[in-house]
Amino acid sequence: MPGLGASFGRGAATNFQQDLANSDCILIMGSNMAEAHPVGFRWPMKAKEKGATLIHIDPRFSRTSALCDLFVGIRAGSDIAFLGALVHYVLSHDKWFKEYVLAYTNAATIIQPGFRDTEDLGGLFSGYHPESISYSPKDGHWSYEGHDGEDQKKSEEGQHGTHGDSHQGGANQTHKPQRDPSLQHPHCVMNILRRHFARYTPEAAARVCGCSPRDIVRIAELLCSNSGRERTSAIVYAVGWTQHTTGVQIIRAAGILQLLLGNMGRPGGGIMAMRGHSSIQGSTDVSTLYDLLPGYLAQPVASADHESLDDYVKKEGLPTGYWVNYRKFIVSLLKAYYGDAATAQNEFGFGWLPRVDGDHSHLPTFDRMARGEMTGYILLGQNPAGGGMNAGLQRAGLRSLDWLVVADWFETESAVFWKDDPTGPPSSDIKTEVFFFPAANSSEKEGTLTNTQRLLQWHSKALDPPGDCRSDAWFVYQLGKRLKDLYAGSTDPRDAPIQALTWDYDPEHPAILPDGRVSRITGEPDIEKILQELNGYHLGPPLPHEENASPPPLPQDLLGERSESKSRRATSTPGEGARERQARRMAHAAPSPAAASPSLDADGGPADRTRRLLRGFSELEDDGTTACGCWVYSGVFPEVGRNRAKERTRTPSNPAEPAWGFAWPHNRRLMYNRASADPNGKPWSERKKYIWWDAEQKKWVGDDEPDFEPTKPPDYRPPEDALGMAAIAGNQPFIMKTDGLGWLFAPKGVKDGPLPTHYEPLESPVENLLYPEQSASPTVRTFTSDKNRLAHATSAEFPVVACTFRLTEHYLSGPMSRFNSWLNELQPEMFVEMSPELAAERGIGNGDWVTVRSARGSIECRALVTRRAQSLQIDGRLVHQVGLPFHWAFAGETVGGNANDLTALVAEPNVSMHEGKVFACQVEKSRWHGPRPGATKQAKPWPQKDPVPETPASAQPEGGFAHGG
């Protein structure tokens, strides 16, 4: 989440859900928390019981709206206009928390005079290159004054979709920024902010959003009156913000608002990013994204900047703040990957890492697939045929493959598209060979889930999966073993990475189930060994073949004053292509015959050398003496026998509950918590006391682990030439930022501008009323195809705004819920919510069949005429909105029209996120005349009373509920 990363330094939720009970005001926007996160919603309700004000802003009135004190309906896609008006109110009414803002943000920092804002350039920032639809921060003079500027980390100009540490908001400022605490300088951030948001008046924003100016002012006053020394307000969002072409900038706008109000790093404040799955946070931490390594390190790019380890660290590391430890993170990761085969002589195997040569994120991958440019694909728990944007295009892509592997609980749309897609060709015309692997469900496997608040919690296995079902870990582990066997005797340098890969996670003893039986599943990896490797361990002194290795580079490498490395390096050859460079890197990194993967002892560590589990990432080294699979997880397994993800100790006297699970980083529940104390280290107030400086103990103390150097005093000031954490003053809470400050203005870290700007969705029936010269985001990416038609311009053909939403009773595109008879009984079929005004205009009655069309396709569904959907006055005319749940498609016990067949393949520039939350459509009273899907699984009308198979009597559920299917 670069919107959070660019603002504060880490792209994750800043607080924990239980802390919402400490809020005085909670703004929920881009989230239907009561229905999408009902367990977590108990904490806003706790806050309400204690007198807090709950606000919900959304295109739909929902159960969240009903339980809040104030609801304001807005047009889908107008979030930045609304948030911008709140920022405008805070600035124009002088409501910002002055002592906090001046000390803890870059409000006083001076930006280069060559920078031009959207106010100067008709909706564009300086540095825009239309030929590549991208910005160059260097050309645009976004940097701090006195710095010549650089372009984004990792991603070169025009290369979209790569994250790297810019995902966390890194930016390389190699000097002490110039500041004007008086805020008189015309180019200081605060004055740029004031000019930028001057046009976002409540009246102007209301015209865009469809609400009243009075609503905006009322919410602004509530937030201002509930922020400051004595009070704090929180913001909660979910995919209702992220799934837009401006999603990153919506989150940035929330970050600016919270910094101005002084709510970051404080109890009851912060920004709670509600994840859409149980371990989406974990999947980004340990990195399922193609361009990230675990711990938010950059996957190397196929360019000279990443030719060698030194080049890579110079490019991606930062001279000040905590990212100065970049070399420790990457070297320890390489040691975890390649063990003894990773030596200083071969740059610890850095040459074996694959290089990113383009955007291989989901959307462009399926665009290429639909063009016939791919041969095979593996899907583990993903359903693009039903849940992907423009799912029809994604099914066309699957039909173009030679082979497809699907591992899932049920035969989802992605497993049966070749025979059950009513809109597809005959199965005899489809060449794709589909291999279906039945997967174990969550109760049939063990491991950790990292939830929305960065909390690792262990879940134990309850029983064996039935038949041939196996866990995802089993599938990946066995595939890795077979690949290592396949390439064991190869002399081809390109096979060296697989040969060197450490892959020793076999259990020491058979697994025992909770009922005392021995598990019948063989080949399952020991998940605790994997977690220990993620945590990291000391490797002891260097091995004999490493003793003469060159020392690590001096810190000057990070400043561009590179000393000549004595280690052997690969050098670039003129005219050499990316593939040739990669082959040479692999040959350079090839292990010596003696360098093999180490055997593991019973604790999961190397059996032949000194070893101790790391207690935290502060113990990491860059000389090859530590191995760590994910530096942000270090500390979760600090000693043998202590898996902190398993811990469930309640601490009623401490609301942070530090002994329940493990939160990264280093079990800090509230990030940036140094800001919970004033610049002198004293609590802002007794009521909001959290972390403070204890002068007698000479350390930071409080309810939580300090997100700061524990013994750095508040009055510490760095010398001019300080590096790393020594350059962060004792009153600078945001330690992942190079200047230690929260960023109101982002000189780097986001690719679509240093400040949030309202742009219309790519498909919108409304022109941009704030910036008439620039309708949609200038950096949005489209995929031209006859399978992905777009309604770029406003037109009478698609005059209705559509947004998608989630039901409590179903899960995503339905793979885990539409195969369940009980859930299907609760929500049996697809529908569209529409306002009474739209229904009357089209002659539609409640329950009628209607057709919903977009530029991509059509679906039929039932009409649900309700006041929950609103038609809004936008600039003097009525604009209709409809809401579509996205849970139905053509596989399962219940089937129906798929909202994802209507959405488009478009990508925002930072993370290639789609815009599934808003598009243009038409609604008509009619039935669709095309083929209709039929159920692929017979529904079971009532649960059976038969015992659960292979389960002892003591473990049978009370009353018996074995499902007939």
Side-chain angles (χ1 to χ4, degrees):
M1 290 182 281
L4 294 174
S7 300
F8 315 119
R10 302 184 185 99
T14 65
N15 292 45
F16 51 104
Q17 293 174 85
Q18 296 91 324
D19 183 55
L20 292 171
N22 300 316
S23 302
D24 298 294
C25 182
I26 302 174
L27 171 61
I28 303 172
M29 190 173 178
S31 166
N32 178 7
M33 193 179 182
E35 296 182 72
H37 299 91
V39 176
F41 191 66
R42 64 182 295 197
W43 302 109
M45 295 306 294
K46 289 281 187 183
K48 185 177 180 180
E49 290 173 7
K50 293 159 62 175
T53 301
L54 271 57
I55 303 167
H56 192 216
I57 303 171
D58 202 79
R60 297 174 56 247
F61 187 92
S62 63
R63 289 183 177 93
T64 302
S65 315
L67 290 167
C68 285
D69 299 285
L70 177 63
F71 168 74
V72 175
I74 63 170
R75 179 170 58 93
S78 64
D79 303 75
I80 289 179
F82 195 101
L83 292 167
L86 298 180
V87 172
H88 172 92
Y89 183 93
V90 171
L91 294 173
S92 61
H93 288 76
D94 209 29
K95 297 286 188 178
W96 50 285
F97 190 170
K98 293 178 178 58
E99 190 175 358
Y100 182 103
V101 170
L102 287 172
Y104 294 161
T105 79
N106 66 353
T109 306
I110 299 171
I111 303 301
Q112 292 182 359
F115 169 73
R116 293 293 179 269
D117 192 18
T118 51
E119 307 307 295
D120 309 311
L121 302 175
L124 295 172
F125 295 100
S126 53
Y128 183 66
H129 294 275
E131 69 281 1
S132 60
I133 58 168
S134 66
Y135 281 107
S136 164
K138 181 178 181 180
D139 294 347
H141 302 281
W142 299 2
S143 290
Y144 293 165
E145 173 67 355
H147 181 59
D148 59 2
E150 292 180 359
D151 283 327
Q152 304 283 13
K153 293 283 176 181
K154 181 173 183 280
S155 173
E156 299 309 305
E157 182 180 331
Q159 180 177 325
H160 295 271
T162 49
H163 308 69
D165 63 52
S166 68
H167 185 72
Q168 298 282 40
N172 189 3
Q173 304 293 343
T174 58
H175 70 296
K176 189 173 182 178
Q178 296 182 26
R179 291 171 60 82
D180 174 21
S182 72
L183 304 184
Q184 298 303 304
H185 196 290
H187 298 298
C188 77
V189 165
M190 180 58 86
N191 287 326
I192 292 175
L193 205 67
R194 286 179 172 133
R195 290 193 296 270
H196 181 80
F197 286 103
R199 70 173 61 197
Y200 290 78
T201 63
E203 293 74 20
R207 288 175 57 217
V208 174
C209 300
C211 59
S212 73
R214 184 175 59 256
D215 289 332
I216 295 174
V217 170
R218 184 181 179 191
I219 291 173
E221 289 175 342
L222 283 169
L223 289 171
C224 292
S225 62
N226 284 289
S227 302
R229 281 184 171 270
E230 296 286 341
R231 306 179 73 80
T232 51
S233 294
I235 294 179
V236 177
Y237 79 89
V239 295
W241 273 3
T242 56
Q243 293 178 356
H244 289 272
T245 51
T246 55
V248 167
Q249 294 290 0
I250 298 174
I251 300 164
R252 275 278 296 136
I256 291 171
L257 182 62
Q258 288 293 73
L259 285 172
L260 289 172
L261 294 174
N263 286 320
M264 296 309 303
R266 302 182 63 201
I271 297 178
M272 194 68 234
M274 303 302 296
R275 295 295 207 167
H277 306 249
S278 60
S279 198
I280 280 292
Q281 184 66 57
S283 70
T284 54
D285 297 341
V286 187
S287 187
T288 53
L289 296 172
Y290 78 100
D291 59 345
L292 283 182
L293 296 171
Y296 302 94
L297 306 180
Q299 184 81 32
V301 169
S303 76
D305 287 331
H306 289 170
E307 182 68 22
S308 69
L309 178 61
D310 288 350
D311 293 331
Y312 169 83
V313 173
K314 177 188 173 185
K315 177 72 174 178
E316 300 302 328
L318 300 172
T320 58
Y322 209 81
W323 279 115
V324 76
N325 296 296
Y326 207 98
R327 191 180 188 91
K328 295 179 180 179
F329 303 153
I330 184 62
V331 169
S332 296
L333 175 64
L334 292 169
K335 290 297 291 185
Y337 279 175
Y338 303 124
D340 289 348
T343 69
Q345 289 94 331
N346 67 7
E347 296 187 317
F348 302 102
F350 179 73
W352 289 329
L353 292 178
R355 265 50 177 180
V356 176
D357 61 356
D359 189 343
H360 298 283
S361 58
H362 181 92
L363 300 182
T365 294
F366 269 82
D367 178 57
R368 289 192 292 271
M369 189 187 297
R371 298 174 188 275
E373 298 174 9
M374 298 181 66
T375 57
Y377 207 67
I378 298 176
L379 288 170
L380 301 177
Q382 188 181 15
N383 185 30
M389 295 302 100
N390 191 347
L393 178 146
Q394 305 211 23
R395 293 193 296 273
L398 297 178
R399 291 195 296 266
S400 73
L401 296 172
D402 293 337
W403 58 266
L404 173 70
V405 174
V406 179
D408 218 313
W409 294 5
F410 303 105
E411 289 185 311
T412 64
E413 284 80 7
S414 297
V416 301
F417 70 92
W418 59 276
K419 64 185 182 72
D420 292 320
D421 180 1
T423 64
S427 58
S428 58
D429 294 344
I430 298 174
K431 66 173 183 173
T432 313
E433 186 174 10
V434 180
F435 301 88
F436 183 78
F437 286 78
N441 68 33
S442 54
S443 62
E444 297 163 351
K445 57 190 175 184
E446 66 178 1
T448 62
L449 299 172
T450 307
N451 75 1
T452 197
Q453 61 202 50
R454 302 166 281 104
L455 185 69
L456 281 79
Q457 297 178 100
W458 186 271
H459 65 94
S460 298
K461 179 177 178 177
L463 71 168
D464 277 337
D468 291 332
C469 296
R470 296 293 184 270
S471 71
D472 299 334
W474 183 97
F475 178 85
V476 174
Y477 187 49
Q478 294 303 320
L479 178 61
K481 280 191 155 188
R482 295 189 185 199
L483 288 171
K484 284 184 72 68
D485 289 343
L486 180 66
Y487 293 110
S490 173
T491 59
D492 191 329
R494 69 180 179 178
D495 300 331
I498 294 177
Q499 293 170 332
L501 191 68
T502 58
W503 206 247
D504 301 304
Y505 309 114
D506 288 336
E508 301 301 320
H509 308 286
I512 305 299
L513 298 174
D515 61 10
R517 291 182 299 156
V518 176
S519 172
R520 68 177 180 82
I521 305 298
T522 60
E524 190 79 28
D526 186 333
I527 304 300
E528 283 205 329
K529 284 186 177 180
I530 298 172
L531 186 60
Q532 287 182 359
E533 184 173 280
L534 291 172
N535 175 86
Y537 45 83
H538 291 277
L539 293 171
L543 292 177
H545 68 279
E546 293 178 309
E547 286 181 351
N548 296 322
S550 58
L554 298 174
Q556 281 84 350
D557 279 46
L558 291 171
L559 299 177
E561 300 171 5
R562 296 180 54 231
S563 58
E564 186 63 26
S565 173
K566 296 180 181 179
S567 61
R568 188 157 58 98
R569 294 180 48 187
T571 55
S572 180
T573 302
E576 184 181 43
R579 291 182 184 273
E580 291 81 2
R581 285 200 302 271
Q582 179 73 350
R584 180 169 42 71
R585 288 190 202 99
M586 289 181 173
H588 168 66
S592 64
S597 299
S599 60
L600 302 184
D601 63 19
D603 299 322
D608 58 345
R609 53 199 306 186
T610 304
R611 177 225 195 228
R612 177 176 64 78
L613 289 166
L614 299 174
R615 291 167 296 182
F617 46 73
S618 62
E619 297 182 5
L620 292 172
E621 301 291 349
D622 60 7
D623 60 359
T625 58
T626 56
C628 181
C630 182
W631 75 273
V632 299
Y633 280 11
S634 191
V636 68
F637 220 126
E639 57 187 307
V640 175
R642 189 186 180 195
N643 178 352
R644 297 180 73 179
K646 283 185 175 180
E647 294 179 350
R648 296 294 185 273
T649 303
R650 297 297 306 275
T651 52
S653 62
N654 186 342
E657 299 278 7
W660 184 285
F662 175 86
W664 71 261
H666 213 265
N667 208 32
R668 296 162 191 167
R669 306 303 168 111
L670 198 164
M671 293 198 295
Y672 322 115
N673 55 38
R674 163 64 183 89
S676 67
D678 68 18
N680 295 320
K682 298 178 181 179
W684 290 106
S685 70
E686 284 299 310
R687 185 172 181 267
K688 293 294 178 177
K689 192 175 185 179
Y690 194 76
I691 293 289
W692 61 94
W693 176 254
D694 188 314
E696 291 185 2
Q697 299 187 63
K698 295 184 178 181
K699 66 177 184 178
W700 294 92
V701 299
D703 292 334
D704 201 353
E705 174 84 13
D707 191 16
F708 201 67
E709 288 183 283
T711 59
K712 177 178 283 186
D715 59 359
Y716 169 78
R717 297 297 179 268
E720 285 292 328
D721 57 349
L723 297 174
M725 286 302 294
I728 302 300
N731 62 349
Q732 295 177 331
F734 298 91
I735 62 173
M736 305 306 291
K737 309 299 287 186
T738 51
D739 54 5
L741 302 173
W743 283 3
L744 298 167
F745 179 99
K748 285 190 178 179
V750 282
K751 300 179 184 178
D752 44 358
L755 291 170
T757 303
H758 169 73
Y759 299 112
E760 286 295 316
L762 191 66
E763 292 190 343
S764 173
V766 178
E767 300 289 348
N768 190 338
L769 300 175
L770 285 173
Y771 301 95
E773 298 175 52
Q774 186 65 46
S775 179
S777 168
T779 55
V780 66
R781 210 160 21 129
T782 61
F783 302 92
T784 304
S785 166
D786 59 356
K787 300 181 182 68
N788 190 48
R789 294 187 176 91
L790 301 173
H792 283 284
T794 59
S795 70
E797 185 178 5
F798 302 111
V800 178
V801 176
C803 66
T804 59
F805 65 92
R806 181 189 304 239
L807 300 169
T808 304
E809 297 81 1
H810 282 293
Y811 189 74
L812 298 182
S813 60
M816 293 190 290
S817 57
R818 283 188 290 105
F819 291 81
N820 184 304
S821 299
W822 304 336
L823 294 176
N824 287 327
E825 185 176 2
L826 294 172
Q827 288 286 359
E829 64 180 326
M830 176 64 178
F831 59 92
V832 55
E833 287 188 355
M834 65 180 69
S835 68
E837 293 83 359
L838 175 60
E841 186 179 294
R842 306 296 166 89
I844 297 170
N846 190 47
D848 283 351
W849 285 103
V850 297
T851 297
V852 183
R853 291 190 295 110
S854 76
R856 272 75 56 197
S858 303
I859 63 170
E860 72 169 9
C861 51
R862 296 282 191 177
L864 178 56
V865 181
T866 172
R867 288 288 178 192
R868 292 200 298 265
Q870 300 184 61
S871 297
L872 301 170
Q873 288 288 331
I874 307 295
D875 196 30
R877 68 184 180 94
L878 191 66
V879 174
H880 298 298
Q881 292 192 122
V882 297
L884 294 157
F886 50 75
H887 305 298
W888 278 271
F890 56 82
E893 291 181 2
T894 62
V895 295
N898 183 0
N900 292 315
D901 283 347
L902 305 178
T903 56
L905 216 67
V906 299
E908 65 83 51
N910 294 282
V911 294
S912 294
M913 177 55 72
H914 59 77
E915 193 163 46
K917 283 301 171 189
V918 60
F919 56 92
C921 74
Q922 180 61 282
V923 180
E924 299 160 331
K925 182 179 179 180
S926 67
R927 296 208 66 173
W928 188 46
H929 299 294
R932 297 184 177 87
T936 61
K937 182 178 182 292
Q938 184 178 356
K940 301 296 180 180
W942 195 255
Q944 297 180 357
K945 293 293 184 179
D946 298 336
V948 178
E950 301 182 15
T951 304
S954 61
Q956 292 289 339
E958 293 184 14
F961 69 83
H963 199 287

